[in-house]
Amino acid sequence: MNVLVINCGSSSLKYQLISSETEEVLAKGLCERIGIDGSAITHTPKGGEKSTTEIPMADHTDAVRLVIEKLTDEKVGVIKSLDEIDAVGHRIVHGGEKFASSVVIDDEVQKAIEECNDLAPLHNPANLIGINSCKAIMPKIPMVAVFDTAFHQTMPKKAYLYGLPYEYYEKYKVRRYGFHGTSHDFVSKRAAEIIGKNRDDLKIVVCHLGNGASISAVDHGKSVDTSMGLTPLEGLIMGTRCGDIDPAIVGFLAEKENMTADEVISVCNKKSGVLGLSGGISSDFRDLVTAADRGNEKAKDTLEAYAYRVAKYIGAYVMAMKGVDVIAFTAGVGENNQQMRVMIGEYLEWLGTSIDTEKNKLRGEEVILSKDTDKVVTMVVPTNEELAIARETVRLIK
């Protein structure tokens, strides 16, 4: 079975065509600037070279049509016709309390996703556009929705309720939802496999550290807490997101800077995190490490603050689960930034775990960083959300 995985943004569309039998990526690509001047599609077939073609895309339906053309092209294609696509898996950011697992898409499901638009106004409408565009081009092909929030729906009330008047939860479903669930699920499963154990027998902390970052506590196979909240703004310091702050700061800055609350929230989402904390050096950790090595104090402070926040959350989740067996690093920073892993690891020694200097030099590979004699296994597990979406799609379609 060939599964087309779609991740749709407001003006972009990422795709991968995956063979479920071999789990190989047959082709992948990105449509950018959809509906904007200068739109282009970048396509990379298995074993072939990446190519970028500037071509007008008025909307996402145009983009999907171009994706199919690339996949079936005589020179750069990997399939002969649309008939060789057996299913489509869509990444959906917010499923609210409506979806605790992936589902086959029908009209009722689409309506329920739309009802979650208030919870993710930047993401869910774009995800729905992707679904409708695929239905227009591939009306007979079954489609599955895989939700970022679904894995965390096992959290108990004590973890997801906020200290606000309960009526806001009843009326508006204001609560912690968590995100990156597809990644946390995939990585925690794979971490257990690597050490030859069943996830249902383990207590695992997953550290998804990328431009967007979150941590989860996976207790015997279930997410019992996670750092992101109602939106992806809560939790860790991230690339451009502030993470946890005193909510009174929003009103304070609105008054001092003559901004609206929405404008302050925009600053919190787009101009904060390591980008803002470093004084605008970069949201890329490679640039921050380079700056810190050259003596830039703001870069040093930023990296230390980031590592400290990650370590605090790990500690909190060890307490929440009353123990820990595995700590897994994943995503761009977690998989590739050896210095950040060392900085975080220094806080974890009291748990009875360590980071081997030589093993830590590896980038983007599965590796156990701790010693065989350590009480807690610390490892790197590269995430693969697209493969996880493809697996969920196959599970439901078959």
Side-chain angles (χ1 to χ4, degrees):
M1 180 182 286
N2 291 332
V3 179
L4 179 61
V5 176
I6 296 289
N7 183 353
C8 207
S10 58
S11 62
S12 66
L13 187 154
K14 294 180 182 178
Y15 64 92
Q16 286 193 11
L17 185 64
I18 297 174
S19 166
S20 66
E21 284 79 14
T22 62
E23 296 195 335
E24 289 182 303
V25 177
L26 303 178
K28 61 182 179 180
L30 170 66
C31 297
E32 297 178 278
R33 299 178 62 83
I34 298 169
I36 305 171
D37 289 343
S39 55
I41 180 170
T42 299
H43 178 77
T44 307
K46 177 189 172 184
E49 295 183 359
K50 179 190 294 187
S51 62
T52 299
T53 307
E54 286 196 19
I55 185 168
M57 285 177 260
D59 53 31
H60 287 73
T61 303
D62 275 353
V64 173
R65 188 176 291 109
L66 282 169
V67 169
I68 300 303
E69 287 180 6
K70 286 291 183 182
L71 292 173
T72 57
D73 185 85
E74 288 186 3
K75 293 183 179 179
V76 298
V78 293
I79 56 176
K80 293 180 180 180
S81 72
L82 185 60
D83 294 337
E84 293 184 49
I85 297 176
D86 301 291
V88 180
H90 291 269
R91 179 200 177 209
I92 309 296
V93 168
H94 218 306
E97 290 188 329
K98 300 176 186 295
F99 298 103
S101 61
S102 306
V103 292
V104 176
I105 297 171
D106 57 20
D107 291 342
E108 187 176 338
V109 167
Q110 282 193 247
K111 183 179 178 182
I113 294 171
E114 187 175 356
E115 290 172 357
C116 296
N117 281 1
D118 285 348
L119 297 173
L122 298 178
H123 297 92
N124 272 34
N127 299 155
L128 284 165
I129 289 170
I131 291 172
N132 286 322
S133 296
C134 287
K135 285 174 68 175
I137 303 298
M138 300 173 277
K140 296 182 180 180
I141 296 178
M143 302 190 189
V144 169
V146 181
F147 300 90
D148 277 10
T149 51
F151 182 60
H152 301 303
Q153 282 295 298
T154 52
M155 284 190 292
K157 279 190 173 182
K158 64 183 179 182
Y160 71 68
L161 288 176
Y162 288 118
L164 293 168
Y166 196 77
E167 64 184 284
Y168 297 147
Y169 169 64
E170 292 179 309
K171 289 163 66 175
Y172 310 118
K173 298 303 178 185
V174 174
R175 52 158 284 183
R176 179 184 310 281
Y177 288 98
F179 299 87
H180 297 139
T182 307
S183 176
H184 287 286
D185 187 16
F186 178 89
V187 170
S188 56
K189 281 180 182 174
R190 183 59 190 147
E193 290 171 357
I194 290 171
I195 60 174
K197 294 187 177 182
N198 190 317
R199 183 175 67 166
D200 292 346
D201 298 325
L202 298 172
K203 298 178 180 183
I204 304 172
V205 174
V206 178
C207 304
H208 179 106
L209 308 180
N211 194 267
S214 62
I215 296 183
S216 67
V218 183
D219 192 353
H220 293 82
K222 294 182 179 180
S223 172
V224 295
D225 208 343
T226 189
S227 57
M228 284 180 167
L230 175 73
T231 75
L233 185 57
E234 187 181 0
L236 302 174
I237 297 169
M238 304 177 220
T240 62
R241 298 178 191 143
C242 62
D244 294 338
I245 61 170
D246 180 344
I249 290 172
V250 176
F252 180 84
L253 288 180
E255 181 180 349
K256 293 293 183 182
E257 295 289 325
N258 193 29
M259 294 190 291
T260 65
D262 283 346
E263 287 172 334
V264 177
I265 294 298
S266 180
V267 170
C268 291
N269 269 303
K270 299 177 181 179
K271 298 181 180 179
S272 301
V274 297
L275 173 65
L277 194 56
S278 67
I281 292 174
S282 180
S283 62
D284 190 311
F285 279 76
R286 291 168 295 187
D287 297 333
L288 291 171
V289 169
T290 298
D293 288 342
R294 291 173 178 171
N296 187 292
E297 291 300 321
K298 286 183 179 178
K300 290 180 183 178
D301 290 344
T302 298
L303 293 172
E304 288 175 0
Y306 183 90
Y308 178 68
R309 185 70 63 87
V310 171
K312 277 211 305 182
Y313 263 100
I314 293 173
Y317 290 162
V318 171
M319 294 300 105
M321 295 189 292
K322 300 178 183 178
V324 65
D325 300 300
V326 178
I327 298 169
F329 293 107
T330 193
V333 177
E335 295 170 25
N336 298 298
N337 194 305
Q338 57 179 316
Q339 182 170 331
M340 183 51 62
R341 293 197 296 255
V342 169
M343 292 175 71
I344 296 167
E346 289 174 354
Y347 288 99
L348 307 180
E349 292 175 358
W350 66 277
L351 287 173
T353 190
S354 58
I355 292 181
D356 182 275
T357 303
E358 287 302 311
K359 292 178 181 178
N360 194 47
K361 291 178 181 178
L362 294 175
R363 292 167 51 87
E365 295 182 33
E366 290 184 349
V367 58
I368 294 177
L369 300 172
S370 51
K371 299 174 184 176
D372 293 340
T373 54
D374 286 353
K375 294 179 181 178
V376 177
V377 179
T378 299
M379 63 172 69
V380 176
V381 182
T383 191
N384 193 332
E385 293 171 278
E386 290 80 12
L387 176 57
I389 291 171
R391 286 175 175 173
E392 280 292 280
T393 302
V394 170
R395 180 180 69 83
L396 287 170
I397 297 302
K398 277 190 173 181

